[in-house]
Amino acid sequence: MRKRKLRYKILITLGILLICLYSLLPIFWVLSTSFKQPDVIFSDPPQWIPKNPTFDNYKTVIQNPAMIQYFKNTVIISLSSTVLSVVIAVLAAYGFSRYKFRGRSVFLGMFLFSRILPRVSLILPFFIILRNIRLLNTHLGMIIVYIIIGLPITIWLAKGFFDKIPIEIEESAILDGCGPLTILLRIIVPISAPAIGAIAMYAFILAWNELLLALILTLDISTQTISIGLSYYKLEFGISWGNLMAGSVLMSIPAVIVFIFFQKNLVDGLTAGSVKE
Amino acid sequence: MKTRYQGYLFILPATILLVLLMVYPMWKTFTYSVTDFKLIGNSSTFVGLQNFKAVMARYDFLNVLKNTLIWVVVTVFFQFALAMIVALFLNVKFRGRAVVQIIALIPWTIPSVVSGNTWKWIFQTDFGLMNALLRQIGLGEFVQPWLSQPKMAFFSVLFAAIWQGYPFLMIMLLSGLKGIPEDQYEAAMIDGASPSQRFRYITVPNIKNIIVIVITLQIIYAWNTFDIIFVLTGGGPGGATEILGLFIYKLGFSAFNFSEAAAVSVLLLAFVIVILMLRNFLTKKETGTIYEKKKITL
């Protein structure tokens, strides 16, 4: 029995080790490179932990005016689309969760179906529509596009949460003469804070990380996002792996932090959305 | 008082966006695919299936289609296998499990541009980690230009895409596993069922619907891959890693051939709809296992 327990422990440890190595080794290599001086970057055999770590790569990236502009654009676009996504999704989810109206299931079905539309097949019409309404290469255009791309999941997450809130709470408020918007704002939203956190996180990461749409709908540095900056980095600066890796680390930090903060809510919401008892 | 029109008002903003930027674009894609639409002048006349024919006749189209099919089958297969193994492991209770779960999810969280750059650096020919490690452990004969040699490039990109994409499947499968009642396993253990028997007769039937859902979703995502290939190889060398997403992008925004790109988009949409119908067919048929009566929605 003791022998079996030991074997079990070894297997678990081995499993943990393998998962951590597989997930983190590439990331660790990026981090390590980002702190290396140019000559150490190309050393053979590779140095896992740089002997003379330096912040030069980070300084170069942070002081680069183009990079500052990319970051600025990304922050404007992702924060605005996050806020608007939350408002629009909460309203819609409340409507779907609490009201019975004609065509409800058709509308809901349309939102869910749009989730699985291949993004690559929508890039042409997005381009032409934004061009026609003169929103091509504007922050506003990007914000709107990211809201709509995220809506199916944001609505689904919020609706799943609202459905679980007992309706009795609202009935007493109705007797007190509260209107539907007051009920939503004063009662539902405060209870749903974790779900709203998950929605905000999803919308934020979506906009922060996105590449394809940004590639098509932005035309110059005034609107281009950090993902474009990093995918074209070598063209502009020659391949400087140290700088590229430092930029990559900087771009990942907000996404990873937000994720770790809200991951439980998101994971619960996503999976509750796909398995409905 | 709850009235009907209030329901409409609540969903109005979202619906306007949906119609403006999802329904209308889909309709537009369809119309572009059957006209000779040009960006300049906005003129368009109906040309029937001519664009589809022109696309099919392109010398690289069949190659792209073949690449895409292999890409979808191989990524989904390996992502699913890996996701299942890790999910089964994380379903065992041990200390620090929550932390390991977060670590396993991290490749999925970091921006795809970053994971593209990460693997590009690892697979770099002269100074990349991959070749350096191979030299270090005495396997120098395997040192090669991972991303600039057609066959290897495809596998390298696949490897990166699997690393980045499997955690999503894993977390979905894991939540399914966590929902399986413990007593079913206990009963099976008393009956003397082996681990593989327990997997086959309890685990799989219980999460069958989740399996179908994640595989369909993943097939659609794989068919739709763009970012990681764009960053790693840009579809090269010589079209070796070019799949439909990049093909549409290049056709539309490098060659500015909008109507042919729209024709490819319509083919892609048609494929997605077929997969979905197949999915519905599969999940509808499989509701009868004794362990499970769950209704699955998208």
Side-chain angles (χ1 to χ4, degrees):
Chain A
M1 204 57 197
R2 180 179 280 176
K3 219 175 170 183
R4 246 182 96 180
K5 217 168 177 183
L6 187 72
R7 218 180 66 184
Y8 178 78
K9 261 200 163 146
I10 292 174
L11 274 178
I12 293 284
T13 318
L14 202 71
I16 296 174
L17 217 69
L18 277 177
I19 292 176
C20 291
L21 276 180
Y22 180 66
S23 307
L24 295 182
L25 210 63
I27 296 168
F28 182 78
W29 186 239
V30 170
L31 273 170
S32 161
T33 306
S34 73
F35 287 109
K36 281 177 184 168
Q37 265 142 12
D39 52 322
V40 188
I41 285 176
F42 301 120
S43 73
D44 189 20
Q47 259 184 39
W48 281 101
I49 296 165
K51 278 189 193 106
N52 300 309
T54 167
F55 280 103
D56 287 355
N57 296 317
Y58 288 92
K59 275 184 205 145
T60 316
V61 172
I62 292 171
Q63 285 163 0
N64 182 316
M67 272 300 174
I68 297 173
Q69 185 63 36
Y70 289 138
F71 264 102
K72 226 160 91 188
N73 293 334
T74 315
V75 169
I76 294 171
I77 291 170
S78 34
L79 285 185
S80 320
S81 71
T82 302
V83 172
L84 290 171
S85 285
V86 168
V87 173
I88 293 173
V90 163
L91 285 175
Y94 188 72
F96 280 126
S97 173
R98 289 296 192 263
Y99 290 90
K100 296 219 171 354
F101 47 87
R102 191 179 298 202
R104 178 177 169 278
S105 55
V106 175
F107 280 115
L108 192 59
M110 256 163 48
F111 279 107
L112 294 182
F113 179 72
S114 69
R115 170 180 170 186
I116 48 88
L117 285 181
R119 224 175 275 176
V120 286
S121 67
L122 293 173
I123 55 180
L124 297 167
F126 273 171
F127 178 81
I128 292 174
I129 290 165
L130 286 198
R131 199 179 73 126
N132 289 349
I133 56 178
R134 295 181 192 284
L135 285 181
L136 198 63
N137 200 29
T138 60
H139 289 136
L140 183 62
M142 297 301 294
I143 293 166
I144 294 175
V145 166
Y146 288 143
I147 294 172
I148 185 73
I149 289 289
L151 265 189
I153 295 213
T154 47
I155 291 181
W156 189 242
L157 287 172
K159 182 181 170 295
F161 201 88
F162 292 166
D163 284 346
K164 277 188 263 167
I165 300 175
I167 199 144
E168 289 77 24
I169 301 179
E170 288 163 60
E171 276 163 0
S172 59
I174 293 172
L175 290 180
D176 291 345
C178 295
L181 263 182
T182 326
I183 294 175
L184 179 61
L185 281 178
R186 293 266 169 83
I187 300 173
I188 303 295
V189 168
I191 306 178
S192 325
I196 290 173
I199 297 167
M201 171 208 147
Y202 176 82
F204 178 81
I205 291 188
L206 176 92
W208 187 271
N209 292 0
E210 212 281 334
L211 171 67
L212 175 63
L213 294 168
L215 215 50
I216 285 149
L217 305 176
T218 64
L219 305 174
D220 59 45
I221 186 96
S222 69
T223 50
Q224 280 171 340
T225 53
I226 183 75
S227 59
I228 294 188
L230 288 181
S231 58
Y232 280 139
Y233 204 71
K234 62 173 200 300
L235 301 177
E236 283 176 43
F237 305 99
I239 298 189
S240 161
W241 289 104
N243 293 351
L244 184 59
M245 293 301 124
S248 298
V249 172
L250 290 177
M251 182 188 176
S252 306
I253 288 173
V256 173
I257 288 181
V258 169
F259 173 77
I260 290 176
F261 215 65
F262 286 108
Q263 55 98 16
K264 214 188 154 318
N265 297 328
L266 182 77
V267 168
D268 291 352
L270 275 182
T271 47
S274 57
V275 189
K276 217 168 113 194
E277 299 270 353
Chain B
M1 255 326 270
K2 293 208 166 182
T3 51
R4 238 184 241 162
Y5 80 94
Q6 282 174 346
Y8 288 118
L9 280 183
F10 274 115
I11 68 163
L12 189 66
T15 308
I16 290 175
L17 279 181
L18 183 81
V19 172
L20 190 72
L21 280 155
M22 276 292 176
V23 179
Y24 182 67
M26 263 173 72
W27 167 245
K28 272 294 179 197
T29 312
F30 178 72
T31 55
Y32 296 151
S33 75
V34 291
T35 56
D36 67 341
F37 177 80
K38 295 269 177 330
L39 201 53
I40 300 143
N42 266 343
S43 76
S44 56
T45 41
F46 180 76
V47 294
L49 295 177
Q50 205 180 309
N51 292 318
F52 291 89
K53 278 187 199 145
V55 167
M56 305 278 187
R58 275 179 177 269
Y59 73 98
D60 45 355
F61 182 70
L62 278 181
N63 182 43
V64 169
L65 209 58
K66 191 189 86 191
N67 282 348
T68 313
L69 283 176
I70 299 175
W71 173 266
V72 170
V73 171
V74 180
T75 44
V76 173
F77 177 81
F78 281 103
Q79 285 182 339
F80 181 77
L82 189 61
M84 188 56 120
I85 293 167
V86 175
L88 283 171
F89 178 75
L90 287 177
N91 196 34
V92 179
K93 289 191 180 75
F94 57 84
R95 218 192 304 162
R97 180 170 69 161
V99 179
V100 179
Q101 186 181 317
I102 292 180
I103 289 175
L105 284 173
I106 281 187
W108 181 59
T109 353
I110 61 171
S112 49
V113 177
V114 171
S115 42
N117 280 330
T118 304
W119 288 99
K120 196 176 185 172
W121 173 220
I122 291 173
F123 286 134
Q124 209 267 348
T125 310
D126 301 318
F127 311 106
L129 182 63
M130 195 69 174
N131 283 340
L133 286 180
L134 285 174
R135 274 192 294 266
Q136 219 173 1
I137 56 174
L139 291 171
E141 69 259 39
F142 290 108
V143 166
Q144 54 190 303
W146 296 98
L147 291 174
S148 47
Q149 184 201 358
K151 256 230 168 77
M152 263 351 267
F154 194 78
F155 285 108
S156 307
V157 178
L158 265 175
F159 192 85
I162 291 166
W163 180 79
Q164 191 206 13
Y166 96 92
F168 170 72
L169 278 94
M170 189 276 289
I171 204 71
M172 300 290 276
L173 291 175
L174 181 60
S175 80
L177 291 176
K178 281 182 175 161
I180 302 175
E182 200 78 23
D183 52 358
Q184 290 185 11
Y185 287 108
E186 280 159 16
M189 296 249 262
I190 291 167
D191 291 345
S194 71
S196 64
Q197 280 174 325
R198 272 175 283 166
F199 179 72
R200 212 178 130 192
Y201 295 108
I202 299 177
T203 313
V204 173
N206 262 304
I207 59 169
K208 199 163 207 165
N209 275 339
I210 292 199
I211 292 177
V212 175
I213 285 186
V214 293
I215 289 183
T216 23
L217 275 182
Q218 210 61 26
I219 289 177
I220 292 165
Y221 290 156
W223 200 253
N224 201 8
T225 315
F226 179 85
D227 297 10
I228 200 154
I229 304 181
F230 180 80
V231 175
L232 269 172
T233 61
T241 55
E242 187 158 327
I243 68 170
L244 271 178
L246 275 102
F247 188 67
I248 295 177
Y249 173 75
K250 285 184 180 168
L251 207 54
F253 295 92
S254 298
F256 292 103
N257 194 332
F258 272 53
S259 21
E260 280 185 37
V264 183
S265 306
V266 169
L267 291 176
L268 187 56
L269 279 173
F271 172 82
V272 167
I273 289 166
V274 168
I275 290 274
L276 267 187
M277 279 159 55
L278 207 66
R279 204 283 316 267
N280 284 344
F281 177 72
L282 279 175
T283 40
K284 248 177 216 151
K285 243 176 86 179
E286 297 291 346
T287 43
T289 54
I290 43 167
Y291 295 113
E292 176 184 51
K293 287 229 157 54
K294 277 178 180 165
K295 199 185 152 222
I296 303 277
T297 46
L298 205 72

